Amino acid sequence: MKKITAFIGSARKKGTYLAVQEFEKYLRKYRDIDFEYVFLNDYNLELCSGCKLCFDKGEQFCPYNDDRNVLIAKLEESDGVVFASPSYAFNISGRMKNFIDRIAFIYHRPRFFKKTFTAIGTQFIPFGKQVQKYLESVGRNLGFDVLKGTTVITPEPIPEKQLEKLKANIMNLAGRFDKKLNKEKLAKPSLYKIMTFRMTRSGLQSSDLRLYDYDYYKEKGWLTSDYYYDIHLGPLQKVIGRFSDFLGRKLFT
Ligand SMILES: Cc1cc2nc3c(=O)[nH]c(=O)nc-3n(C[C@H](O)[C@H](O)[C@H](O)COP(=O)(O)O)c2cc1C
């Protein structure tokens, strides 16, 4: 049975919760799932102090001993992940942002490649998709296989017409999510993703600084591999990859 975890950035059980509940309901129409709601508000997560020890020396050096690792374990245990947040001042909630900051070292050392990720943004105004788009970029940077999410309008109370629209949007998202969950193969990386991977790794090799990322890349075999995971690159991707290695060496020496 697939395990799906929704991380919710609102302290209230209102609009965002409703959207995620609908998502669960529709997803259950396709398959039997183990679905968990993670209200970030229920976890003890200190504000990131910006010391950068997680980047430079390793996440084990984080000065806080709180629920960060509990939340990371939930990401690791999941086959599918949803990040859902209300829009606060045209972006994600502070609670969600702090969670992302606390796991941002994973941007440097991405994982979760086989896992499906999507984003749900909730907001009052009927235009703009900043929350959804930002959360999608977070999923990509963490290494997930990202499915385009949705933005739903959740005024209080929600008029019937708006509720119908929300349900239709979420139903569509659940259908697409289910299809992606079924995919066995790892996603083919875009040229942009190949370039960032290759420039980063050749930069790490060329730099005099021996950051923790270097050890991590070495341990994973990423200092010599074509990409983060085993994937066949076409001729153009190979050339771009080699050029990016060269560029990374030039930029970071
Ligand atoms: C501090 C704060 C800032 C907000 N800023 C925006 C905003 O910039 N744009 C918007 O459309 N809605 C904004 N809203 C409305 C919420 O996004 C909307 O009510 C959402 O449904 C709340 O989610 P919840 O019901 O799960 O708490 C804001 C709400 C709060 C509390």
Side-chain angles (χ1 to χ4, degrees), residues 8 10-17 85-91 122-127 152-156:
I8 299 176
S10 173
R12 311 187 318 156
K13 288 199 170 74
K14 296 270 187 171
T16 314
Y17 181 44
S85 174
S87 170
Y88 284 179
F90 297 110
N91 214 310
T122 61
Q123 60 193 44
F124 178 76
I125 56 165
F127 54 85
V152 290
I153 312 305
T154 50
E156 291 175 63

Short mmCIF file of all heavy atoms in Angstrom, two decimals, residues 8 10-17 85-91 122-127 152-156, ligand 1:
data_model
loop_
_atom_site.label_atom_id
_atom_site.label_comp_id
_atom_site.label_asym_id
_atom_site.label_seq_id
_atom_site.Cartn_x
_atom_site.Cartn_y
_atom_site.Cartn_z
N ILE A 8 0.99 20.31 6.27
CA ILE A 8 0.05 21.42 6.21
C ILE A 8 0.59 22.63 6.97
O ILE A 8 0.95 22.54 8.15
CB ILE A 8 -1.32 20.97 6.77
CG1 ILE A 8 -1.84 19.83 5.88
CG2 ILE A 8 -2.31 22.13 6.81
CD1 ILE A 8 -3.12 19.20 6.33
N SER A 10 -0.94 25.51 7.73
CA SER A 10 -1.88 26.38 8.44
C SER A 10 -2.06 25.84 9.86
O SER A 10 -2.10 24.63 10.06
CB SER A 10 -3.24 26.41 7.74
OG SER A 10 -4.16 27.12 8.54
N ALA A 11 -2.21 26.77 10.82
CA ALA A 11 -2.45 26.32 12.21
C ALA A 11 -3.92 25.99 12.42
O ALA A 11 -4.30 25.48 13.47
CB ALA A 11 -2.01 27.42 13.17
N ARG A 12 -4.75 26.30 11.41
CA ARG A 12 -6.20 26.10 11.56
C ARG A 12 -6.66 24.88 10.77
O ARG A 12 -6.05 24.51 9.77
CB ARG A 12 -6.94 27.32 11.02
CG ARG A 12 -6.40 28.63 11.54
CD ARG A 12 -7.25 29.80 11.14
NE ARG A 12 -7.73 29.77 9.76
CZ ARG A 12 -8.82 30.42 9.37
NH1 ARG A 12 -9.53 31.11 10.23
NH2 ARG A 12 -9.19 30.39 8.10
N LYS A 13 -7.73 24.29 11.22
CA LYS A 13 -8.31 23.18 10.44
C LYS A 13 -9.47 23.77 9.63
O LYS A 13 -10.64 23.50 9.89
CB LYS A 13 -8.77 22.06 11.36
CG LYS A 13 -7.60 21.29 11.97
CD LYS A 13 -8.03 19.93 12.50
CE LYS A 13 -6.85 19.06 12.87
NZ LYS A 13 -6.16 19.41 14.07
N LYS A 14 -9.08 24.61 8.63
CA LYS A 14 -10.10 25.30 7.82
C LYS A 14 -9.86 25.03 6.33
O LYS A 14 -9.87 23.89 5.91
CB LYS A 14 -10.07 26.79 8.13
CG LYS A 14 -10.43 27.13 9.54
CD LYS A 14 -11.92 27.36 9.67
CE LYS A 14 -12.23 27.85 11.06
NZ LYS A 14 -13.60 28.30 11.22
N GLY A 15 -9.57 26.11 5.57
CA GLY A 15 -9.50 26.00 4.11
C GLY A 15 -8.45 25.02 3.60
O GLY A 15 -8.73 24.17 2.74
N THR A 16 -7.24 25.11 4.13
CA THR A 16 -6.15 24.25 3.63
C THR A 16 -6.44 22.79 4.00
O THR A 16 -6.25 21.89 3.18
CB THR A 16 -4.80 24.72 4.22
OG1 THR A 16 -4.72 26.15 4.09
CG2 THR A 16 -3.63 24.10 3.49
N TYR A 17 -6.92 22.61 5.21
CA TYR A 17 -7.28 21.26 5.67
C TYR A 17 -8.38 20.68 4.79
O TYR A 17 -8.31 19.52 4.36
CB TYR A 17 -7.72 21.35 7.14
CG TYR A 17 -8.10 20.03 7.78
CD1 TYR A 17 -7.34 18.88 7.60
CD2 TYR A 17 -9.22 19.95 8.60
CE1 TYR A 17 -7.70 17.68 8.20
CE2 TYR A 17 -9.58 18.76 9.21
CZ TYR A 17 -8.82 17.63 9.00
OH TYR A 17 -9.17 16.45 9.59
N SER A 85 -0.21 24.92 1.73
CA SER A 85 -0.06 26.12 2.56
C SER A 85 -1.04 27.20 2.15
O SER A 85 -1.31 27.37 0.96
CB SER A 85 1.37 26.67 2.44
OG SER A 85 1.48 27.91 3.12
N PRO A 86 -1.54 27.97 3.14
CA PRO A 86 -2.30 29.16 2.77
C PRO A 86 -1.35 30.24 2.28
O PRO A 86 -0.15 30.20 2.59
CB PRO A 86 -2.95 29.58 4.10
CG PRO A 86 -2.09 29.01 5.16
CD PRO A 86 -1.42 27.80 4.59
N SER A 87 -1.89 31.17 1.53
CA SER A 87 -1.11 32.33 1.12
C SER A 87 -1.15 33.33 2.25
O SER A 87 -2.22 33.71 2.71
CB SER A 87 -1.73 32.93 -0.15
OG SER A 87 -1.13 34.17 -0.43
N TYR A 88 0.01 33.73 2.72
CA TYR A 88 0.11 34.82 3.69
C TYR A 88 0.95 35.90 3.00
O TYR A 88 2.13 35.64 2.68
CB TYR A 88 0.83 34.37 4.97
CG TYR A 88 0.01 33.52 5.91
CD1 TYR A 88 0.59 33.04 7.09
CD2 TYR A 88 -1.33 33.19 5.67
CE1 TYR A 88 -0.14 32.26 7.99
CE2 TYR A 88 -2.06 32.42 6.56
CZ TYR A 88 -1.46 31.95 7.71
OH TYR A 88 -2.16 31.18 8.60
N ALA A 89 0.37 37.07 2.80
CA ALA A 89 1.09 38.17 2.14
C ALA A 89 1.75 37.68 0.84
O ALA A 89 2.93 37.90 0.61
CB ALA A 89 2.12 38.78 3.09
N PHE A 90 0.93 36.99 0.05
CA PHE A 90 1.33 36.52 -1.28
C PHE A 90 2.44 35.48 -1.30
O PHE A 90 3.15 35.34 -2.30
CB PHE A 90 1.70 37.70 -2.20
CG PHE A 90 0.55 38.62 -2.44
CD1 PHE A 90 0.55 39.90 -1.89
CD2 PHE A 90 -0.54 38.22 -3.18
CE1 PHE A 90 -0.53 40.75 -2.08
CE2 PHE A 90 -1.63 39.06 -3.38
CZ PHE A 90 -1.63 40.32 -2.84
N ASN A 91 2.63 34.78 -0.20
CA ASN A 91 3.57 33.66 -0.24
C ASN A 91 3.16 32.62 0.80
O ASN A 91 2.13 32.77 1.44
CB ASN A 91 5.02 34.13 -0.06
CG ASN A 91 5.98 33.29 -0.86
OD1 ASN A 91 5.93 32.05 -0.79
ND2 ASN A 91 6.84 33.91 -1.66
N THR A 122 -3.73 27.61 -0.91
CA THR A 122 -5.08 28.12 -0.66
C THR A 122 -4.96 29.62 -0.43
O THR A 122 -3.98 30.09 0.14
CB THR A 122 -5.72 27.47 0.58
OG1 THR A 122 -4.92 27.78 1.73
CG2 THR A 122 -5.85 25.98 0.43
N GLN A 123 -5.97 30.36 -0.90
CA GLN A 123 -5.91 31.81 -0.74
C GLN A 123 -7.27 32.45 -0.90
O GLN A 123 -8.23 31.79 -1.31
CB GLN A 123 -4.92 32.40 -1.76
CG GLN A 123 -5.29 32.13 -3.21
CD GLN A 123 -4.15 32.46 -4.17
OE1 GLN A 123 -2.98 32.12 -3.89
NE2 GLN A 123 -4.46 33.11 -5.27
N PHE A 124 -7.33 33.71 -0.56
CA PHE A 124 -8.59 34.45 -0.61
C PHE A 124 -8.83 35.03 -2.01
O PHE A 124 -9.92 34.93 -2.56
CB PHE A 124 -8.55 35.57 0.44
CG PHE A 124 -9.78 36.41 0.45
CD1 PHE A 124 -10.95 35.94 1.01
CD2 PHE A 124 -9.77 37.68 -0.13
CE1 PHE A 124 -12.11 36.72 1.02
CE2 PHE A 124 -10.92 38.45 -0.13
CZ PHE A 124 -12.09 37.96 0.44
N ILE A 125 -7.78 35.62 -2.57
CA ILE A 125 -7.99 36.30 -3.86
C ILE A 125 -7.96 35.30 -5.03
O ILE A 125 -7.19 34.34 -5.01
CB ILE A 125 -6.97 37.45 -4.11
CG1 ILE A 125 -5.53 36.94 -4.01
CG2 ILE A 125 -7.20 38.61 -3.16
CD1 ILE A 125 -4.53 37.91 -4.59
N PRO A 126 -8.80 35.56 -6.05
CA PRO A 126 -8.95 34.57 -7.12
C PRO A 126 -7.91 34.70 -8.24
O PRO A 126 -8.17 34.34 -9.37
CB PRO A 126 -10.36 34.85 -7.65
CG PRO A 126 -10.58 36.29 -7.35
CD PRO A 126 -9.76 36.66 -6.17
N PHE A 127 -6.73 35.21 -7.96
CA PHE A 127 -5.68 35.22 -8.98
C PHE A 127 -4.31 35.11 -8.31
O PHE A 127 -4.18 35.38 -7.12
CB PHE A 127 -5.75 36.48 -9.87
CG PHE A 127 -5.75 37.76 -9.09
CD1 PHE A 127 -4.57 38.35 -8.69
CD2 PHE A 127 -6.95 38.36 -8.73
CE1 PHE A 127 -4.57 39.53 -7.96
CE2 PHE A 127 -6.96 39.55 -8.00
CZ PHE A 127 -5.77 40.13 -7.61
N VAL A 152 -6.39 26.81 -4.83
CA VAL A 152 -7.85 26.87 -4.64
C VAL A 152 -8.22 28.08 -3.77
O VAL A 152 -7.44 28.52 -2.93
CB VAL A 152 -8.40 25.55 -4.02
CG1 VAL A 152 -8.32 24.42 -5.02
CG2 VAL A 152 -7.69 25.18 -2.74
N ILE A 153 -9.40 28.59 -4.04
CA ILE A 153 -9.85 29.81 -3.37
C ILE A 153 -10.77 29.42 -2.22
O ILE A 153 -11.74 28.69 -2.40
CB ILE A 153 -10.61 30.73 -4.38
CG1 ILE A 153 -9.79 30.86 -5.68
CG2 ILE A 153 -10.91 32.10 -3.79
CD1 ILE A 153 -8.38 31.36 -5.52
N THR A 154 -10.40 29.89 -1.01
CA THR A 154 -11.11 29.42 0.18
C THR A 154 -11.57 30.59 1.07
O THR A 154 -11.06 30.77 2.19
CB THR A 154 -10.21 28.46 1.00
OG1 THR A 154 -8.92 29.09 1.19
CG2 THR A 154 -10.02 27.14 0.32
N PRO A 155 -12.50 31.39 0.57
CA PRO A 155 -13.04 32.44 1.45
C PRO A 155 -13.88 31.80 2.56
O PRO A 155 -14.16 30.60 2.50
CB PRO A 155 -13.92 33.27 0.51
CG PRO A 155 -14.28 32.35 -0.60
CD PRO A 155 -13.18 31.34 -0.72
N GLU A 156 -14.24 32.60 3.55
CA GLU A 156 -15.05 32.04 4.66
C GLU A 156 -16.36 32.81 4.78
O GLU A 156 -16.30 34.02 5.00
CB GLU A 156 -14.28 32.14 5.96
CG GLU A 156 -13.08 31.21 6.02
CD GLU A 156 -12.29 31.44 7.31
OE1 GLU A 156 -12.83 31.22 8.41
OE2 GLU A 156 -11.13 31.87 7.19
C1 LIG B 1 -1.61 36.75 7.80
C2 LIG B 1 -2.48 36.41 6.62
C3 LIG B 1 -2.13 36.88 5.38
C4 LIG B 1 -2.90 36.58 4.27
N1 LIG B 1 -2.50 37.03 3.03
C5 LIG B 1 -3.21 36.67 1.94
C6 LIG B 1 -2.76 37.07 0.65
O1 LIG B 1 -1.74 37.71 0.47
N2 LIG B 1 -3.48 36.68 -0.43
C7 LIG B 1 -4.63 35.95 -0.29
O2 LIG B 1 -5.26 35.64 -1.30
N3 LIG B 1 -5.07 35.56 0.92
C8 LIG B 1 -4.39 35.89 2.03
N4 LIG B 1 -4.82 35.48 3.27
C9 LIG B 1 -6.01 34.63 3.36
C10 LIG B 1 -5.66 33.16 3.47
O3 LIG B 1 -4.72 32.77 2.50
C11 LIG B 1 -6.90 32.31 3.29
O4 LIG B 1 -7.88 32.72 4.19
C12 LIG B 1 -6.62 30.82 3.50
O5 LIG B 1 -7.75 30.11 3.17
C13 LIG B 1 -6.30 30.50 4.93
O6 LIG B 1 -6.06 29.13 5.06
P1 LIG B 1 -6.63 28.32 6.31
O7 LIG B 1 -8.13 28.49 6.26
O8 LIG B 1 -6.22 26.92 6.08
O9 LIG B 1 -6.04 28.93 7.54
C14 LIG B 1 -4.07 35.80 4.41
C15 LIG B 1 -4.43 35.33 5.68
C16 LIG B 1 -3.65 35.61 6.77
C17 LIG B 1 -4.03 35.08 8.13
#
